[in-house]
């Protein structure tokens, strides 16, 4: 089983998470890098390494930093990409706007919870330390 170790002290925003994931993944699988723009792409990376355990050390530090404000920033970035790449995809724009409204109201998942939810799958186990 492959083990990827993320250092939560290095993660204070989504871009940091992407960088830390790529560092951990690259140590084992070479130069492949996840762009961070699509969680389906992340699924492909995890399936490539499967079975995989993702051990997130100092996860409490990341949990504090990847709260609702970070989730709002993530939704706004997603909306920007959606409007640029899919200008006529109203459903996607509305979905992002609902996410923005929800996170600005401190409802739904935080970014930390969302990332963990996206990672957890049959081929990947996540350990929060």
């Amino acid at each position: 089983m492959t083990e990827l170790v993320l250092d939560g002290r290095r993660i204070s925003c989504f871009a940091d998470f992407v960088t830390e994931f790529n560092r951990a993944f690259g140590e084992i699988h070479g130069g492949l890098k996840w762009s961070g723009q699509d969680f389906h792409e992340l699924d492909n990376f995890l399936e490539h390494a499967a079975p995989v355990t993702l051990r997130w050390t100092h996860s409490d530090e990341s949990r504090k930093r990847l709260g609702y404000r970070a989730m709002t920033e993530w939704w706004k970035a997603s909306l920007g990409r959606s409007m640029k790449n899919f200008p006529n995809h109203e459903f996607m724009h509305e979905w992002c706007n609902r996410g923005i409204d929800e996170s600005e109201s401190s409802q739904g998942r935080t970014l930390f919870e969302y990332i963990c939810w996206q990672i957890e799958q049959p081929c990947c186990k996540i350990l929060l330390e």
Side-chain angles (χ1 to χ4, degrees):
M1 176 175 283
T2 301
E3 182 177 76
L4 304 177
V5 180
L6 303 182
D7 185 344
R9 296 172 295 191
R10 297 179 180 164
I11 302 171
S12 60
C13 64
F14 186 69
D16 291 345
F17 172 78
V18 174
T19 299
E20 183 63 4
F21 175 84
N22 285 329
R23 181 202 58 75
F25 192 86
E27 285 180 359
I28 296 171
H29 296 284
L32 296 173
K33 293 196 184 271
W34 173 46
S35 70
Q37 293 189 15
D38 185 345
F39 276 103
H40 295 295
E41 181 186 14
L42 178 63
D43 290 346
N44 292 336
F45 276 81
L46 295 173
E47 287 173 9
H48 173 76
V52 62
T53 296
L54 192 144
R55 188 162 50 95
W56 194 330
T57 65
H58 307 282
S59 61
D60 285 345
E61 292 183 42
S62 298
R63 184 186 302 271
K64 290 174 192 171
R65 295 178 186 140
L66 301 177
Y68 288 112
R69 187 176 334 156
M71 188 79 234
T72 300
E73 292 171 11
W74 184 85
W75 278 118
K76 287 180 178 180
S78 295
L79 177 61
R81 282 191 307 276
S82 172
M83 293 181 80
K84 178 183 175 189
N85 298 328
F86 308 102
N88 298 319
H89 203 301
E90 292 297 321
F91 174 78
M92 191 178 292
H93 304 164
E94 188 172 313
W95 179 63
C96 291
N97 279 314
R98 279 195 308 264
I100 291 167
D101 291 343
E102 189 175 75
S103 60
E104 284 181 337
S105 300
S106 298
Q107 297 177 357
R109 290 183 176 102
T110 64
L111 185 56
F112 181 84
E113 293 165 338
Y114 189 77
I115 291 169
C116 291
W117 176 71
Q118 289 287 339
I119 291 170
E120 192 76 42
Q121 53 185 292
C123 72
C124 182
K125 181 172 134 181
I126 187 167
L127 300 175
L128 302 175
E129 299 177 349

